[in-house]
Amino acid sequence: MSGFSKFKSPLQGVIPPMITPLNADGSLDSNAVQKLIEHLIAGGVHGIFILGTTGEFSGLSYSVRKDLVSQTCELVAGRIPVLVGITDVAVEESIDLANCAAEAGAYAVVAAPPFYMSIDQQELYTYFTQLADAISIPMFLYNMPSHTKLTIEVDTAVRLAAHERIIGLKDSSAHAVYFQSLCHAFREQKDFVLMVGPEEMMAETVLMGGFGGVCGGANLYPQLYVALYEAAKSKDFEKIRTYQSCVMEVSKNVYTLGGYKSSYMKGLKTSLSFKGLCQANFAPPLYPFSTAEVEELRGRFDLVNAKIAAEKI
């Protein structure tokens, strides 16, 4: 049975896109899954999103994906909503994973446009409608143009929102005008959840009328991102400036090492290993930092910790 009815809708707050803890052989590190979930819940997050970009979903086998779904829902045990990414190039695979999520008790699923094939907005509308028709729990749209090479246009999002199971949209475009256009388009539809992916934009989008953020850094520092969200909700601009400065230090120091296109993922997961929350193992084609890079990151990580500690967050 879906966990949707257990929680007041619409969903708001900080929803970390949880990393997927892996063993060296690519299997799921179940002990780390438990530690990470407890770390996130203790940090006050408002939900957990698994099998997103930060969760390396595209490099995981379906057996690992399904193990993560079942273990996460069992460990969370209804304390906060669990959202499950079901993005795939084959609609049947997305439906199958959505069924797995529903059976495990997930709150909702999250789907980005199918990648590889070039499609237009009408084909995208038809695809998402077909998917929503075939599943039994609510679904969030996931706008991720940098990875899918396709934007869910505002008019398409409005059309799709008429479907009873499509309840929100996560935008990872980092395009403030696009997000503002969404807020304007849904100004009368107060229960359609609009969340932002890039954590550097979370506070400003909450001030625009957004519902919160899917913040990767909340894996590391959940209290920081929750505090920033609460400051934005209450329009406490002094606290926003303080907490935003910390968030920008995380972005500057943790996500940029080595100049890799995957530096965000490498930096985040390796920093989590410093905290003992996971191993620094990745799903191919990603691979770990070199020893020298790890040591450089450790120094940067210590600087960020000192900054956050100084602010008493």
Side-chain angles (χ1 to χ4, degrees), residues 6-71:
K6 297 178 184 177
F7 303 100
K8 184 178 179 180
S9 187
L11 182 64
Q12 300 184 62
V14 173
I15 318 296
M18 196 175 85
I19 64 101
T20 301
L22 297 172
N23 293 309
D25 63 0
S27 62
L28 194 63
D29 182 348
S30 299
N31 289 333
V33 171
Q34 182 174 13
K35 285 192 291 186
L36 184 56
I37 287 171
E38 295 306 321
H39 165 71
L40 295 174
I41 293 176
V45 303
H46 305 88
I48 291 175
F49 170 35
I50 59 173
L51 298 177
T53 307
T54 303
E56 301 175 82
F57 81 91
S58 62
L60 302 176
S61 69
Y62 268 91
S63 62
V64 168
R65 298 189 208 192
K66 290 180 177 180
D67 281 349
L68 180 62
V69 171
S70 60
Q71 289 185 33

Short mmCIF file of all heavy atoms in Angstrom, two decimals, residues 6-71:
data_model
loop_
_atom_site.label_atom_id
_atom_site.label_comp_id
_atom_site.label_asym_id
_atom_site.label_seq_id
_atom_site.Cartn_x
_atom_site.Cartn_y
_atom_site.Cartn_z
N LYS A 6 -0.53 8.64 4.34
CA LYS A 6 -0.04 8.81 5.70
C LYS A 6 0.40 10.26 5.98
O LYS A 6 0.55 10.64 7.12
CB LYS A 6 1.16 7.90 5.96
CG LYS A 6 0.85 6.42 5.87
CD LYS A 6 2.13 5.62 6.09
CE LYS A 6 1.88 4.13 5.90
NZ LYS A 6 3.13 3.35 6.05
N PHE A 7 0.67 11.01 4.92
CA PHE A 7 1.25 12.33 5.08
C PHE A 7 0.36 13.40 4.49
O PHE A 7 -0.32 13.19 3.49
CB PHE A 7 2.63 12.38 4.41
CG PHE A 7 3.58 11.35 4.92
CD1 PHE A 7 3.80 10.18 4.20
CD2 PHE A 7 4.23 11.52 6.12
CE1 PHE A 7 4.67 9.22 4.66
CE2 PHE A 7 5.09 10.56 6.61
CZ PHE A 7 5.32 9.41 5.89
N LYS A 8 0.38 14.53 5.15
CA LYS A 8 -0.39 15.66 4.66
C LYS A 8 0.21 16.15 3.36
O LYS A 8 1.40 16.38 3.23
CB LYS A 8 -0.38 16.79 5.70
CG LYS A 8 -1.24 17.99 5.31
CD LYS A 8 -1.21 19.04 6.39
CE LYS A 8 -2.05 20.24 5.99
NZ LYS A 8 -2.02 21.29 7.05
N SER A 9 -0.61 16.34 2.36
CA SER A 9 -0.17 16.86 1.07
C SER A 9 -0.56 18.33 0.99
O SER A 9 -1.58 18.73 1.56
CB SER A 9 -0.86 16.07 -0.05
OG SER A 9 -0.36 16.43 -1.30
N PRO A 10 0.21 19.17 0.34
CA PRO A 10 1.37 18.87 -0.48
C PRO A 10 2.67 18.75 0.33
O PRO A 10 2.79 19.31 1.42
CB PRO A 10 1.43 20.07 -1.43
CG PRO A 10 0.86 21.19 -0.63
CD PRO A 10 -0.22 20.57 0.22
N LEU A 11 3.61 18.05 -0.25
CA LEU A 11 4.93 17.87 0.36
C LEU A 11 5.71 19.18 0.31
O LEU A 11 5.71 19.87 -0.71
CB LEU A 11 5.67 16.78 -0.41
CG LEU A 11 7.06 16.40 0.08
CD1 LEU A 11 6.99 15.79 1.48
CD2 LEU A 11 7.69 15.39 -0.89
N GLN A 12 6.36 19.53 1.40
CA GLN A 12 7.18 20.73 1.47
C GLN A 12 8.45 20.45 2.25
O GLN A 12 8.49 19.54 3.06
CB GLN A 12 6.42 21.87 2.16
CG GLN A 12 5.13 22.27 1.49
CD GLN A 12 4.48 23.46 2.20
OE1 GLN A 12 5.05 24.53 2.26
NE2 GLN A 12 3.28 23.24 2.73
N GLY A 13 9.49 21.25 2.02
CA GLY A 13 10.69 21.18 2.82
C GLY A 13 11.92 20.73 2.07
O GLY A 13 12.07 20.96 0.87
N VAL A 14 12.83 20.09 2.79
CA VAL A 14 14.10 19.61 2.25
C VAL A 14 14.00 18.10 2.05
O VAL A 14 13.76 17.36 3.01
CB VAL A 14 15.27 19.95 3.18
CG1 VAL A 14 16.56 19.31 2.70
CG2 VAL A 14 15.43 21.47 3.29
N ILE A 15 14.16 17.68 0.82
CA ILE A 15 14.07 16.26 0.45
C ILE A 15 15.41 15.84 -0.14
O ILE A 15 15.67 16.04 -1.33
CB ILE A 15 12.95 16.01 -0.60
CG1 ILE A 15 11.68 16.81 -0.28
CG2 ILE A 15 12.67 14.52 -0.75
CD1 ILE A 15 11.00 16.43 0.99
N PRO A 16 16.34 15.30 0.65
CA PRO A 16 17.64 14.95 0.10
C PRO A 16 17.53 13.88 -1.00
O PRO A 16 16.80 12.89 -0.82
CB PRO A 16 18.41 14.39 1.30
CG PRO A 16 17.67 14.87 2.49
CD PRO A 16 16.24 15.01 2.10
N PRO A 17 18.23 14.07 -2.11
CA PRO A 17 18.35 13.00 -3.10
C PRO A 17 19.44 12.05 -2.60
O PRO A 17 20.63 12.29 -2.79
CB PRO A 17 18.77 13.74 -4.37
CG PRO A 17 19.56 14.91 -3.87
CD PRO A 17 18.98 15.27 -2.52
N MET A 18 19.05 11.02 -1.91
CA MET A 18 20.00 10.19 -1.16
C MET A 18 20.99 9.50 -2.10
O MET A 18 20.61 8.97 -3.15
CB MET A 18 19.24 9.14 -0.35
CG MET A 18 20.08 8.48 0.73
SD MET A 18 19.11 7.35 1.77
CE MET A 18 19.17 5.84 0.79
N ILE A 19 22.26 9.53 -1.70
CA ILE A 19 23.26 8.75 -2.44
C ILE A 19 22.95 7.27 -2.26
O ILE A 19 22.25 6.88 -1.31
CB ILE A 19 24.69 9.10 -1.99
CG1 ILE A 19 24.92 8.71 -0.52
CG2 ILE A 19 25.01 10.57 -2.20
CD1 ILE A 19 25.67 7.43 -0.32
N THR A 20 23.46 6.45 -3.14
CA THR A 20 23.28 5.00 -3.01
C THR A 20 24.57 4.39 -2.47
O THR A 20 25.58 4.33 -3.18
CB THR A 20 22.94 4.36 -4.36
OG1 THR A 20 21.73 4.94 -4.88
CG2 THR A 20 22.73 2.86 -4.21
N PRO A 21 24.58 3.94 -1.21
CA PRO A 21 25.80 3.34 -0.65
C PRO A 21 26.09 1.99 -1.32
O PRO A 21 25.21 1.12 -1.39
CB PRO A 21 25.44 3.15 0.83
CG PRO A 21 24.31 4.09 1.09
CD PRO A 21 23.53 4.09 -0.20
N LEU A 22 27.30 1.83 -1.78
CA LEU A 22 27.69 0.63 -2.50
C LEU A 22 28.92 -0.02 -1.89
O LEU A 22 29.80 0.65 -1.36
CB LEU A 22 27.99 0.95 -3.97
CG LEU A 22 26.84 1.50 -4.81
CD1 LEU A 22 27.36 1.95 -6.18
CD2 LEU A 22 25.73 0.47 -4.96
N ASN A 23 28.96 -1.35 -1.97
CA ASN A 23 30.18 -2.09 -1.68
C ASN A 23 31.09 -2.07 -2.90
O ASN A 23 30.69 -1.67 -4.00
CB ASN A 23 29.84 -3.53 -1.30
CG ASN A 23 29.08 -3.61 0.02
OD1 ASN A 23 29.50 -3.05 1.03
ND2 ASN A 23 27.96 -4.33 0.02
N ALA A 24 32.31 -2.54 -2.73
CA ALA A 24 33.28 -2.51 -3.83
C ALA A 24 32.84 -3.34 -5.01
O ALA A 24 33.21 -3.05 -6.17
CB ALA A 24 34.65 -2.98 -3.32
N ASP A 25 32.04 -4.38 -4.76
CA ASP A 25 31.58 -5.24 -5.86
C ASP A 25 30.31 -4.72 -6.53
O ASP A 25 29.74 -5.39 -7.39
CB ASP A 25 31.36 -6.67 -5.37
CG ASP A 25 30.26 -6.79 -4.31
OD1 ASP A 25 29.65 -5.76 -3.95
OD2 ASP A 25 30.01 -7.93 -3.84
N GLY A 26 29.83 -3.54 -6.13
CA GLY A 26 28.64 -2.96 -6.74
C GLY A 26 27.34 -3.33 -6.06
O GLY A 26 26.28 -2.81 -6.44
N SER A 27 27.40 -4.16 -5.05
CA SER A 27 26.19 -4.52 -4.31
C SER A 27 25.84 -3.41 -3.33
O SER A 27 26.66 -2.54 -3.01
CB SER A 27 26.39 -5.84 -3.57
OG SER A 27 27.44 -5.74 -2.62
N LEU A 28 24.62 -3.45 -2.84
CA LEU A 28 24.14 -2.44 -1.92
C LEU A 28 24.77 -2.63 -0.54
O LEU A 28 24.79 -3.73 -0.01
CB LEU A 28 22.62 -2.52 -1.81
CG LEU A 28 21.90 -1.34 -1.15
CD1 LEU A 28 22.10 -0.05 -1.95
CD2 LEU A 28 20.41 -1.66 -1.02
N ASP A 29 25.30 -1.54 0.01
CA ASP A 29 25.87 -1.57 1.36
C ASP A 29 24.73 -1.30 2.35
O ASP A 29 24.41 -0.16 2.68
CB ASP A 29 26.96 -0.50 1.47
CG ASP A 29 27.64 -0.50 2.84
OD1 ASP A 29 27.14 -1.14 3.77
OD2 ASP A 29 28.69 0.18 2.97
N SER A 30 24.12 -2.36 2.82
CA SER A 30 22.91 -2.24 3.65
C SER A 30 23.18 -1.55 4.98
O SER A 30 22.33 -0.79 5.47
CB SER A 30 22.30 -3.62 3.90
OG SER A 30 21.92 -4.22 2.68
N ASN A 31 24.34 -1.79 5.57
CA ASN A 31 24.66 -1.12 6.83
C ASN A 31 24.74 0.39 6.64
O ASN A 31 24.25 1.17 7.48
CB ASN A 31 25.98 -1.65 7.39
CG ASN A 31 25.88 -3.07 7.90
OD1 ASN A 31 24.81 -3.51 8.32
ND2 ASN A 31 26.99 -3.79 7.87
N ALA A 32 25.33 0.81 5.54
CA ALA A 32 25.45 2.25 5.26
C ALA A 32 24.09 2.85 4.93
O ALA A 32 23.82 4.01 5.26
CB ALA A 32 26.43 2.49 4.12
N VAL A 33 23.22 2.11 4.26
CA VAL A 33 21.87 2.60 3.99
C VAL A 33 21.18 2.95 5.30
O VAL A 33 20.58 4.02 5.44
CB VAL A 33 21.04 1.55 3.20
CG1 VAL A 33 19.58 1.97 3.11
CG2 VAL A 33 21.61 1.36 1.79
N GLN A 34 21.29 2.07 6.27
CA GLN A 34 20.66 2.31 7.57
C GLN A 34 21.27 3.53 8.26
O GLN A 34 20.55 4.40 8.77
CB GLN A 34 20.78 1.08 8.46
CG GLN A 34 20.10 1.26 9.82
CD GLN A 34 20.09 -0.02 10.64
OE1 GLN A 34 20.79 -0.98 10.32
NE2 GLN A 34 19.30 -0.04 11.69
N LYS A 35 22.60 3.61 8.29
CA LYS A 35 23.26 4.74 8.94
C LYS A 35 22.88 6.06 8.28
O LYS A 35 22.62 7.05 8.97
CB LYS A 35 24.78 4.56 8.90
CG LYS A 35 25.31 3.54 9.87
CD LYS A 35 26.83 3.61 10.00
CE LYS A 35 27.55 3.14 8.75
NZ LYS A 35 29.02 3.09 8.93
N LEU A 36 22.84 6.07 6.97
CA LEU A 36 22.54 7.30 6.25
C LEU A 36 21.10 7.74 6.48
O LEU A 36 20.83 8.93 6.72
CB LEU A 36 22.82 7.11 4.76
CG LEU A 36 22.65 8.33 3.86
CD1 LEU A 36 23.51 9.50 4.34
CD2 LEU A 36 22.98 7.98 2.41
N ILE A 37 20.18 6.81 6.44
CA ILE A 37 18.76 7.15 6.68
C ILE A 37 18.59 7.74 8.08
O ILE A 37 17.89 8.75 8.26
CB ILE A 37 17.88 5.91 6.47
CG1 ILE A 37 17.77 5.60 4.98
CG2 ILE A 37 16.48 6.13 7.08
CD1 ILE A 37 17.09 4.28 4.66
N GLU A 38 19.20 7.14 9.08
CA GLU A 38 19.06 7.66 10.44
C GLU A 38 19.71 9.04 10.57
O GLU A 38 19.19 9.92 11.27
CB GLU A 38 19.65 6.68 11.45
CG GLU A 38 18.92 5.35 11.53
CD GLU A 38 17.42 5.50 11.77
OE1 GLU A 38 17.02 6.39 12.56
OE2 GLU A 38 16.64 4.73 11.17
N HIS A 39 20.82 9.24 9.89
CA HIS A 39 21.49 10.54 9.87
C HIS A 39 20.57 11.61 9.26
O HIS A 39 20.45 12.72 9.80
CB HIS A 39 22.78 10.41 9.05
CG HIS A 39 23.41 11.69 8.63
ND1 HIS A 39 24.05 12.55 9.49
CD2 HIS A 39 23.52 12.26 7.38
CE1 HIS A 39 24.52 13.59 8.82
NE2 HIS A 39 24.21 13.44 7.55
N LEU A 40 19.90 11.29 8.17
CA LEU A 40 19.01 12.23 7.50
C LEU A 40 17.79 12.56 8.36
O LEU A 40 17.41 13.73 8.52
CB LEU A 40 18.58 11.69 6.15
CG LEU A 40 19.69 11.52 5.11
CD1 LEU A 40 19.15 10.84 3.86
CD2 LEU A 40 20.33 12.85 4.76
N ILE A 41 17.18 11.53 8.91
CA ILE A 41 15.98 11.76 9.73
C ILE A 41 16.33 12.55 10.98
O ILE A 41 15.61 13.48 11.37
CB ILE A 41 15.29 10.43 10.05
CG1 ILE A 41 14.71 9.81 8.77
CG2 ILE A 41 14.19 10.63 11.09
CD1 ILE A 41 14.08 8.43 8.95
N ALA A 42 17.46 12.22 11.62
CA ALA A 42 17.90 12.98 12.80
C ALA A 42 18.17 14.44 12.45
O ALA A 42 18.02 15.32 13.31
CB ALA A 42 19.14 12.33 13.41
N GLY A 43 18.54 14.69 11.20
CA GLY A 43 18.81 16.05 10.76
C GLY A 43 17.58 16.86 10.43
O GLY A 43 17.70 18.04 10.07
N GLY A 44 16.42 16.24 10.52
CA GLY A 44 15.17 16.98 10.36
C GLY A 44 14.63 17.10 8.96
O GLY A 44 13.74 17.93 8.71
N VAL A 45 15.13 16.29 8.02
CA VAL A 45 14.64 16.41 6.65
C VAL A 45 13.17 16.02 6.56
O VAL A 45 12.65 15.32 7.43
CB VAL A 45 15.49 15.56 5.67
CG1 VAL A 45 16.96 15.97 5.74
CG2 VAL A 45 15.34 14.06 5.94
N HIS A 46 12.53 16.47 5.51
CA HIS A 46 11.09 16.31 5.37
C HIS A 46 10.70 15.13 4.47
O HIS A 46 9.50 14.86 4.29
CB HIS A 46 10.48 17.60 4.81
CG HIS A 46 10.82 18.80 5.64
ND1 HIS A 46 11.96 19.55 5.43
CD2 HIS A 46 10.19 19.36 6.70
CE1 HIS A 46 12.00 20.54 6.31
NE2 HIS A 46 10.95 20.44 7.09
N GLY A 47 11.67 14.46 3.90
CA GLY A 47 11.44 13.30 3.04
C GLY A 47 12.76 12.83 2.51
O GLY A 47 13.81 13.46 2.73
N ILE A 48 12.77 11.70 1.81
CA ILE A 48 13.97 11.15 1.18
C ILE A 48 13.61 10.75 -0.25
O ILE A 48 12.58 10.13 -0.49
CB ILE A 48 14.48 9.91 1.96
CG1 ILE A 48 15.05 10.33 3.32
CG2 ILE A 48 15.55 9.17 1.15
CD1 ILE A 48 15.47 9.16 4.20
N PHE A 49 14.50 11.11 -1.18
CA PHE A 49 14.32 10.77 -2.59
C PHE A 49 15.46 9.83 -2.99
O PHE A 49 16.62 10.21 -2.98
CB PHE A 49 14.33 12.05 -3.43
CG PHE A 49 14.41 11.85 -4.93
CD1 PHE A 49 13.79 10.78 -5.55
CD2 PHE A 49 15.10 12.77 -5.71
CE1 PHE A 49 13.85 10.61 -6.93
CE2 PHE A 49 15.16 12.62 -7.09
CZ PHE A 49 14.55 11.54 -7.70
N ILE A 50 15.13 8.59 -3.31
CA ILE A 50 16.14 7.63 -3.74
C ILE A 50 16.06 7.41 -5.26
O ILE A 50 15.04 7.67 -5.89
CB ILE A 50 16.01 6.28 -3.01
CG1 ILE A 50 14.63 5.65 -3.25
CG2 ILE A 50 16.26 6.46 -1.52
CD1 ILE A 50 14.50 4.22 -2.68
N LEU A 51 17.19 6.95 -5.81
CA LEU A 51 17.29 6.62 -7.23
C LEU A 51 17.10 7.83 -8.14
O LEU A 51 16.52 7.75 -9.21
CB LEU A 51 16.32 5.49 -7.61
CG LEU A 51 16.57 4.16 -6.90
CD1 LEU A 51 15.51 3.13 -7.30
CD2 LEU A 51 17.97 3.62 -7.20
N GLY A 52 17.64 8.97 -7.69
CA GLY A 52 17.73 10.13 -8.55
C GLY A 52 19.12 10.22 -9.14
O GLY A 52 19.91 9.27 -9.10
N THR A 53 19.46 11.37 -9.70
CA THR A 53 20.79 11.57 -10.28
C THR A 53 21.87 11.36 -9.23
O THR A 53 22.86 10.65 -9.46
CB THR A 53 20.90 12.98 -10.86
OG1 THR A 53 19.82 13.21 -11.77
CG2 THR A 53 22.21 13.16 -11.60
N THR A 54 21.69 11.95 -8.04
CA THR A 54 22.66 11.81 -6.97
C THR A 54 22.74 10.38 -6.48
O THR A 54 23.77 9.96 -5.94
CB THR A 54 22.29 12.76 -5.81
OG1 THR A 54 22.25 14.10 -6.32
CG2 THR A 54 23.29 12.71 -4.68
N GLY A 55 21.69 9.61 -6.68
CA GLY A 55 21.69 8.20 -6.33
C GLY A 55 22.28 7.30 -7.39
O GLY A 55 22.24 6.07 -7.24
N GLU A 56 22.85 7.89 -8.47
CA GLU A 56 23.51 7.13 -9.53
C GLU A 56 22.61 6.08 -10.17
O GLU A 56 23.07 5.01 -10.58
CB GLU A 56 24.78 6.45 -9.00
CG GLU A 56 25.82 7.39 -8.42
CD GLU A 56 26.99 6.63 -7.80
OE1 GLU A 56 27.90 6.22 -8.54
OE2 GLU A 56 26.96 6.44 -6.57
N PHE A 57 21.31 6.37 -10.26
CA PHE A 57 20.36 5.35 -10.69
C PHE A 57 20.73 4.71 -12.02
O PHE A 57 20.54 3.51 -12.22
CB PHE A 57 18.94 5.94 -10.77
CG PHE A 57 18.65 6.71 -12.03
CD1 PHE A 57 18.11 6.08 -13.14
CD2 PHE A 57 18.95 8.07 -12.13
CE1 PHE A 57 17.86 6.77 -14.31
CE2 PHE A 57 18.71 8.76 -13.29
CZ PHE A 57 18.15 8.12 -14.40
N SER A 58 21.25 5.52 -12.95
CA SER A 58 21.47 5.01 -14.31
C SER A 58 22.58 3.97 -14.37
O SER A 58 22.65 3.20 -15.34
CB SER A 58 21.79 6.16 -15.27
OG SER A 58 22.98 6.83 -14.88
N GLY A 59 23.43 3.90 -13.35
CA GLY A 59 24.50 2.92 -13.33
C GLY A 59 24.20 1.70 -12.48
O GLY A 59 25.07 0.83 -12.34
N LEU A 60 22.99 1.63 -11.93
CA LEU A 60 22.64 0.53 -11.02
C LEU A 60 21.82 -0.54 -11.72
O LEU A 60 20.94 -0.24 -12.53
CB LEU A 60 21.83 1.07 -9.83
CG LEU A 60 22.48 2.17 -8.99
CD1 LEU A 60 21.50 2.64 -7.92
CD2 LEU A 60 23.78 1.68 -8.36
N SER A 61 22.08 -1.80 -11.37
CA SER A 61 21.24 -2.88 -11.87
C SER A 61 19.86 -2.76 -11.26
O SER A 61 19.66 -2.12 -10.22
CB SER A 61 21.85 -4.23 -11.50
OG SER A 61 21.75 -4.44 -10.10
N TYR A 62 18.88 -3.39 -11.88
CA TYR A 62 17.52 -3.33 -11.32
C TYR A 62 17.42 -4.11 -10.02
O TYR A 62 16.60 -3.78 -9.16
CB TYR A 62 16.49 -3.78 -12.35
CG TYR A 62 15.97 -2.60 -13.12
CD1 TYR A 62 16.57 -2.19 -14.30
CD2 TYR A 62 14.93 -1.82 -12.62
CE1 TYR A 62 16.13 -1.07 -14.97
CE2 TYR A 62 14.47 -0.71 -13.28
CZ TYR A 62 15.09 -0.33 -14.46
OH TYR A 62 14.66 0.79 -15.11
N SER A 63 18.24 -5.11 -9.83
CA SER A 63 18.19 -5.82 -8.55
C SER A 63 18.66 -4.91 -7.42
O SER A 63 18.07 -4.91 -6.33
CB SER A 63 19.05 -7.09 -8.60
OG SER A 63 20.41 -6.79 -8.82
N VAL A 64 19.71 -4.10 -7.66
CA VAL A 64 20.17 -3.16 -6.65
C VAL A 64 19.12 -2.07 -6.42
O VAL A 64 18.84 -1.68 -5.27
CB VAL A 64 21.53 -2.55 -7.05
CG1 VAL A 64 21.88 -1.36 -6.15
CG2 VAL A 64 22.63 -3.60 -6.97
N ARG A 65 18.53 -1.58 -7.49
CA ARG A 65 17.49 -0.55 -7.34
C ARG A 65 16.34 -1.06 -6.47
O ARG A 65 15.87 -0.37 -5.56
CB ARG A 65 16.95 -0.13 -8.71
CG ARG A 65 17.97 0.50 -9.63
CD ARG A 65 17.30 1.08 -10.87
NE ARG A 65 18.20 1.10 -12.02
CZ ARG A 65 17.97 1.75 -13.15
NH1 ARG A 65 16.85 2.42 -13.30
NH2 ARG A 65 18.84 1.73 -14.14
N LYS A 66 15.88 -2.26 -6.75
CA LYS A 66 14.75 -2.80 -6.00
C LYS A 66 15.13 -3.10 -4.55
O LYS A 66 14.32 -2.90 -3.64
CB LYS A 66 14.20 -4.04 -6.70
CG LYS A 66 13.50 -3.70 -8.01
CD LYS A 66 12.95 -4.93 -8.72
CE LYS A 66 12.20 -4.53 -9.99
NZ LYS A 66 11.64 -5.70 -10.71
N ASP A 67 16.37 -3.57 -4.33
CA ASP A 67 16.84 -3.76 -2.95
C ASP A 67 16.81 -2.44 -2.20
O ASP A 67 16.39 -2.38 -1.03
CB ASP A 67 18.26 -4.32 -2.95
CG ASP A 67 18.33 -5.81 -3.23
OD1 ASP A 67 17.27 -6.45 -3.22
OD2 ASP A 67 19.44 -6.31 -3.46
N LEU A 68 17.27 -1.37 -2.85
CA LEU A 68 17.30 -0.07 -2.19
C LEU A 68 15.89 0.41 -1.86
O LEU A 68 15.64 0.96 -0.78
CB LEU A 68 18.02 0.96 -3.06
CG LEU A 68 18.13 2.37 -2.47
CD1 LEU A 68 18.94 2.36 -1.18
CD2 LEU A 68 18.74 3.34 -3.48
N VAL A 69 14.96 0.21 -2.78
CA VAL A 69 13.57 0.61 -2.54
C VAL A 69 13.01 -0.11 -1.32
O VAL A 69 12.46 0.51 -0.40
CB VAL A 69 12.69 0.34 -3.78
CG1 VAL A 69 11.21 0.56 -3.44
CG2 VAL A 69 13.11 1.24 -4.94
N SER A 70 13.15 -1.41 -1.29
CA SER A 70 12.55 -2.18 -0.19
C SER A 70 13.24 -1.88 1.14
O SER A 70 12.56 -1.70 2.17
CB SER A 70 12.61 -3.69 -0.50
OG SER A 70 13.95 -4.13 -0.65
N GLN A 71 14.57 -1.78 1.13
CA GLN A 71 15.28 -1.51 2.37
C GLN A 71 14.99 -0.11 2.90
O GLN A 71 14.79 0.08 4.10
CB GLN A 71 16.79 -1.70 2.19
CG GLN A 71 17.20 -3.15 2.02
CD GLN A 71 18.71 -3.34 1.95
OE1 GLN A 71 19.46 -2.60 2.59
NE2 GLN A 71 19.16 -4.31 1.19
#
